[in-house]
Amino acid sequence: MWFGGKKNPGKTILVLDVENGSVGSALVRITPAEQPKLFGETRVHTPLLMNRSGECLAKEIGAAARTALHNASEVAARLRMHEQVAPLGDVEHAAIFMSAPWGRPNLAEGRPDFLPSMTDALAAEVARSFGYIPSSLYTRAGAAAFGTHATGEQRPCLVCIVTGEVSELMRMDQSGVASHATIPTGSNDLLRTLKSHGGLSEEEARSAMGLTFDTPHVREPFVAAAAHFAGHFKDAAEELLAPGDVLTVRVVADEPVAKWFARALSQDEALAELFPQGGEVRTLAPSQLSAHIAAHAAMPDTMLLLAALFVDSHFN
């Protein structure tokens, strides 16, 4: 028998991804010298409200977080009931990723800012499902920046993170995030346009995101929504960079949302002013992230994959 130090079996981290139109949760198994294992993924979308208010949105996000956390706690409890996989269900830490307006980078101060009312509400929900475990707060922008570099993007680029009600823009260079901005347009604006001007239900509108822009019954609402988003994107991008500063735009979102908004940007002629030497718009595809994850769902959730990579780097 060999005597020595006890082998570290790893630890299980709860990840909670809180954006402004949905909440995702998963468990991540972190083991030394191994890729992170992501399991128990779920994403809960908030109701598609036609009139937005911060108070109402915060209430719906809280309810979605409760549902997402309940799912994660059930997965952990089932694992603890089986001896061979019981350690995977022992959750030691919660990593909470928040997008604007709940959490955003503060480059001037060198640290992120978080909305206290939302962090308090999320802490209460985590305790409700998992007890009082240690937790850490991170921005979605930080996870997206880390994932962009981890997948090989080393050149200066503009990263666009599309969420439900707000999108975030980051100008990145070799040293990290150089500047950050938000725009009041996201995937829910497209869904509202498809409902009000395309005559589609919410379920039909979500499915329609995978269609091409020249599909007859959605062509007009697609063109209108794309022009609206591209206009907001251009206004914000002009504050972050000068024409020709970057040649690449990376769109970060779940599919098919990412591909739709990448098409919206690539087909807008007005954006040529920002890229006089030409450029490209690409998505941060789940397939690029999956190469770094030991296990994931059949339909990968881009932001949960990014959270798993970030958590593995931080805790492993």
Side-chain angles (χ1 to χ4, degrees):
M1 180 179 294
W2 291 94
F3 294 92
K6 182 179 179 181
K7 182 180 179 182
N8 186 347
K11 63 180 66 177
T12 299
I13 309 294
L14 163 71
V15 295
L16 187 67
D17 175 55
V18 184
E19 56 132 296
N20 41 70
S22 72
V23 178
S25 68
L27 300 175
V28 181
R29 186 65 176 177
I30 305 298
T31 306
E34 294 183 11
Q35 290 182 328
K37 178 180 291 186
L38 183 68
F39 56 98
E41 303 100 310
T42 191
R43 183 163 293 277
V44 181
H45 291 276
T46 59
L48 185 63
L49 305 175
M50 300 308 290
N51 295 313
R52 297 177 290 180
S53 73
E55 181 180 358
C56 185
L57 183 58
K59 180 180 178 181
E60 295 296 345
I61 287 295
R66 186 175 305 122
T67 302
L69 286 166
H70 180 71
N71 178 82
S73 67
E74 284 194 334
V75 172
R78 289 197 298 269
L79 289 169
R80 292 195 298 270
M81 294 174 62
H82 299 278
E83 183 177 356
Q84 290 185 338
V85 294
L88 275 67
D90 185 11
V91 179
E92 300 183 23
H93 197 98
I96 304 174
F97 295 83
M98 304 172 71
S99 72
W102 325 122
R104 58 194 299 175
N106 185 334
L107 300 178
E109 297 291 333
R111 55 169 177 76
D113 290 331
F114 299 101
L115 189 66
S117 59
M118 181 57 71
T119 58
D120 291 345
L122 293 174
E125 294 299 339
V126 171
R128 185 198 301 265
S129 294
F130 289 90
Y132 292 95
I133 60 175
S135 62
S136 304
L137 296 175
Y138 308 100
T139 63
R140 241 180 173 233
F146 177 83
T148 300
H149 272 314
T151 53
E153 186 64 74
Q154 301 300 322
R155 299 175 300 172
C157 67
L158 192 62
V159 177
C160 179
I161 311 167
V162 180
T163 57
E165 303 292 352
V166 178
S167 295
E168 299 182 64
L169 272 65
M170 296 185 294
R171 177 185 172 181
M172 292 185 59
D173 54 28
Q174 287 83 354
S175 60
V177 179
S179 53
H180 174 270
T182 60
I183 57 176
T185 312
S187 59
N188 284 355
D189 292 276
L190 169 59
L191 295 177
R192 292 187 185 96
T193 303
L194 288 170
K195 286 188 65 177
S196 60
H197 299 289
L200 304 182
S201 68
E202 181 175 340
E203 292 73 17
E204 290 172 331
R206 292 189 185 278
S207 298
M209 286 185 179
L211 300 176
T212 61
F213 274 45
D214 58 358
T215 303
H217 71 287
V218 293
R219 182 187 298 116
E220 290 188 11
F222 267 15
V223 170
H228 182 68
F229 176 76
H232 281 177
F233 176 93
K234 183 174 182 289
D235 290 342
E238 286 176 335
E239 299 296 323
L240 301 182
L241 50 86
D245 277 356
V246 302
L247 298 177
T248 303
V249 176
R250 299 294 297 271
V251 178
V252 181
D254 286 328
E255 298 297 351
V257 175
K259 289 182 180 178
W260 192 95
F261 282 90
R263 287 197 299 268
L265 295 178
S266 63
Q267 296 179 14
D268 193 282
E269 296 181 357
L271 292 180
E273 298 174 14
L274 289 173
F275 306 96
Q277 302 172 0
E280 60 176 355
V281 180
R282 295 188 287 133
T283 63
L284 185 59
S287 58
Q288 295 173 276
L289 300 167
S290 298
H292 304 277
I293 306 294
H296 51 77
M299 296 292 291
D301 185 300
T302 300
M303 289 309 305
L304 292 178
L305 290 173
L306 285 168
L309 285 177
F310 187 96
V311 163
D312 182 58
S313 174
H314 185 80
F315 287 94
N316 199 354

